[in-house]
Amino acid sequence: MKKTLIQLTLATLVTLTSASTHAQKLKVIAAYPYIASITQEIAGNSVDIESLANAKWDPHFITARPSFIAKLRNADLLITNGAELEIGWIPPLVNQAKNLKLGGDGTLDLSRYVDLQEIPQEISRKMGDVHPSGNPHFHLDPYNVIPIAKAISSRLIKLDSANTANYEHGLKIFLQKWNEHLQNWEKSMASLKGQNVVQYHNLFHYFLHRFQISSVATVERLPGIPPTAEHMIDLEKQIKNNHVNIVIQDIYHPDNAAKIITQKLGLKLVYLPHDVGAASHTENIFALFDEIVRLMTHD
Amino acid sequence: MKLYFSLFKNLAVITGCILFSTEVLLPQDTGSNNMQEKPAAFSKFIPDISLNADFSGAYRDLKQPTYDVLALPGYTVSGDNQGTLNQKSGFNFNYAELTLYSAVDPFFDLFTAFHLTEATFEIEEAYVRTLSLPFNIQLKAGKFFSSFGRLNEQHPHSWDFSDQPLVYFSFLGAEHLKEKGAQLTWLAPVSFYLMGGAEVLTGDNPMSFGVNGFSDPAAKHIVENGLFPELYIGYIKSSFDIENLVILLGVSGAQGSKRIDFGITNQDGYAVYGISRLLAADLTVKWLIDSYRYLSWQSEFLYRNTIGDEYFSSGTTAKLVQNQSGFYSQIVFRFAQQWKAGIRYDLMQMNNVTANSQKNNLPENLPRYTVMIEFSPSEFSSFRLQYNHDRSMYNGLSPVVNNQVTMDANFNIGTHGAHKF
């Protein structure tokens, strides 16, 4: 009786596990929607791609839902943003997924393929929730999307060499299209060159830096710490001294402080989407940057 | 002082060596093609280190000596309050918890937690986990909090309230099911979260199990020490999402030998030896409103059955049967990035204890009501104000009402911890 039970259990185990390894398409899980969108552009229908985080959430604070563990369990490749952006939620999920494929080449950390900026000289939580490796929101520089796309394509080829031609072709077409868009964005953004702006969180640093716009202050007091009345007085001073005209608000932080200060000083308040799907007209990575540029430049 | 300095210097030198040598030793990522690669963070070779410190001020209308002898009849005995969090009226240094974590090699990772109080140093957890077993299986071995139930494996600084639910304190003790042993968990190959686990543990628990034998003064009855792992635990947990509503539920069972000595060597003392079975069901429903706000409802029900013998110091024995249960249910609302508020209802329900088929007349349906509000200046510090209206405790045979206000402060330095659901 006992023996049959053991045999039965083993048989079930083998059936269940082999069933999951017979999938034809590469299963790719992206930490954030922008990664899923770039992967989709390159791979088309050759892979199954899904994003864990929703673009409407603060990328630093994603709740580690158990359903994510089930998704990671069945993944062939996990693509993360890296630079400690996911430190608060991804590590325990990966551990609980108990998926051997996510070791080694099964995880791709995109931060290793771009030059990170704002690497703190001194690392102390006195400065708020700082990222020791630098500002992690590098995908918002459209030029960084190029090495990101190349890294994704190389990794897909490595894991799924049968589709090499598809991925190479996908990357080529994507980069062609991307370079055309880059020229348009350069043209549109030229009018804002040299301007000073204020952001809620230093989320758009790479974008602003690329187009030579200075971000002189943040509405939040320090990274991860909401504004206080005292900080708002200080912010007002900085806005006046630096002749700031635009305040950039992301879509997930409370916007009351930004509203008050822009109304009081007669500034332009721009709600910028930071990821694919964060707002309307951002259905893919091209649309996301089209929309950011449109919102920054229209009056 | 000098010793500390030289120790520190040595540590610095060693660290320096590690930092320096890794530059040469780092494996090159072969997946890079013509990409310019960045070296991985050097600091990864030093374990992740963090320290959590917890202080509280407690005020209650009972005098300290009265509070110290209170018990939940049939569940706890006078003196079990000793060493619990916020025990003293006035200031409490509850604990400092030092944790170290790192991968050992490609096959294992190691987590340790040192629980420090003013006078004690305890290795609270120290376990290795496998990283490379096939079939979505993971083994864990060492000393660890059992994954029984929902709250059992959480460290106090992750709790929503400044104390544990009554049913946990009564059935699992102030330190929960924290045992030496091994655990096997498996993630089922389905599209939703379905996890099953089994544990074989020593069974060294002051409330429901126990490994230390005893004997009455005349050595008429001798119960030997437990020699082998005697506690077996199993659980199934599942979770699914309905849009931004996350539902997590689980059922757990535990069975083990119970050996508890209530002073059998003293006159009128007694001890218990038998088998305890625990059953637990938990349900968490969490509505994620946006990135910072959520509304969470969490409940756990525990049932305990013990069958065994009571041994008295006089040398007589009695057949003991216990059927007991209790639950807690709590609602926590995080209404802003820095603010949380919560209410909790505790009830010790069934309290059916018979000795030689004779029913002990024990009180049932013992409640406690708790409210709290918490302010977190950042992710790394928090202050919680909590009020308990506790109608569960007795001083001997007379019920006592305890009203307590606790101000709890918690601080964390070091590695940024991740938050499990």
Side-chain angles (χ1 to χ4, degrees), chain A residues 17 57-58 61 64-67 70 73 88 92 95 97-98 100 112-115 125 129 155 158 226 252-253, chain B residues 29-30 35 37-38 129 131-132 136 138 185 187-189 241 243-244 291-292 338 379-380 414 418-419 421:
Chain A
T17 41
W57 304 331
D58 182 340
F61 300 104
R65 306 168 177 220
S67 61
R73 184 211 187 278
N95 187 283
K98 312 177 211 297
L100 290 189
R112 296 180 64 189
Y113 299 86
V114 296
D115 285 317
R125 294 251 163 80
D129 195 1
R155 189 58 59 92
K158 192 156 193 207
Y252 53 83
H253 278 109
Chain B
D29 183 343
T30 45
M35 233 63 72
E37 274 283 343
K38 301 239 168 345
R129 283 185 303 200
L131 299 177
S132 57
N136 304 83
Q138 190 171 50
T185 47
L187 205 59
D241 300 345
E243 298 282 304
N244 286 325
S291 287
Y292 313 108
Q338 297 177 309
E379 244 198 297
F380 309 98
H419 309 279
F421 184 77

Side-chain angles (χ1 to χ4, degrees), chain A residues 14-225:
Chain A
V14 169
T15 334
L16 286 173
T17 41
S18 61
S20 66
T21 51
H22 273 284
Q24 302 88 0
K25 279 189 191 176
L26 205 64
K27 285 202 179 78
V28 183
I29 295 291
Y32 299 101
Y34 85 86
I35 302 173
S37 176
I38 297 171
T39 310
Q40 190 76 68
E41 293 289 338
I42 296 166
N45 289 327
S46 305
V47 299
D48 281 330
I49 172 94
E50 198 174 351
S51 166
L52 295 180
N54 180 315
K56 297 209 160 51
W57 304 331
D58 182 340
H60 306 79
F61 300 104
I62 306 295
T63 302
R65 306 168 177 220
S67 61
F68 292 168
I69 300 169
K71 286 177 181 163
L72 288 171
R73 184 211 187 278
N74 301 317
D76 298 304
L77 173 62
L78 166 65
I79 311 179
T80 65
N81 181 87
E84 289 117 24
L85 186 58
E86 297 104 337
I87 197 166
W89 61 286
I90 287 225
L93 294 174
V94 169
N95 187 283
Q96 289 176 86
K98 312 177 211 297
N99 181 350
L100 290 189
K101 285 185 271 181
L102 299 185
D105 287 335
T107 300
L108 175 63
D109 173 350
L110 296 176
S111 68
R112 296 180 64 189
Y113 299 86
V114 296
D115 285 317
L116 292 177
Q117 297 174 1
E118 295 198 305
I119 298 165
Q121 298 288 313
E122 185 197 345
I123 298 164
S124 166
R125 294 251 163 80
K126 272 187 193 168
M127 293 134 77
D129 195 1
V130 290
H131 296 275
S133 332
N135 187 320
H137 311 294
F138 52 81
H139 77 278
L140 289 164
D141 174 355
Y143 282 86
N144 277 345
V145 170
I146 296 165
I148 290 172
K150 286 180 179 169
I152 293 173
S153 160
S154 314
R155 189 58 59 92
L156 291 174
I157 289 168
K158 192 156 193 207
L159 294 178
D160 181 23
S161 51
N163 275 314
T164 302
N166 281 353
Y167 300 134
E168 276 175 350
H169 181 70
L171 178 68
K172 203 178 132 199
I173 301 290
F174 174 73
L175 291 181
Q176 267 171 16
K177 259 171 80 186
W178 194 255
N179 282 319
E180 285 162 21
H181 278 77
L182 278 175
Q183 287 174 12
N184 295 338
W185 297 328
E186 287 272 14
K187 258 182 238 151
S188 307
M189 289 303 292
S191 61
L192 290 173
K193 193 172 154 182
Q195 286 232 24
N196 291 336
V197 300
V198 161
Q199 306 173 70
Y200 184 93
H201 174 76
N202 209 352
L203 182 61
F204 292 92
H205 166 81
Y206 288 87
F207 178 83
L208 298 170
H209 185 259
R210 170 60 62 190
F211 297 108
Q212 296 172 50
I213 300 164
S214 297
S215 178
V216 294
T218 57
V219 176
E220 68 179 355
R221 199 160 75 88
L222 288 166
I225 298 172

Side-chain angles (χ1 to χ4, degrees), chain B residues 213-223 261 264-265 271 311-313:
Chain B
F214 51 81
S215 131
D216 54 65
K220 203 171 153 195
H221 297 285
I222 299 171
V223 170
D261 180 1
I264 191 170
T265 49
Y311 297 82
F312 298 95
S313 56

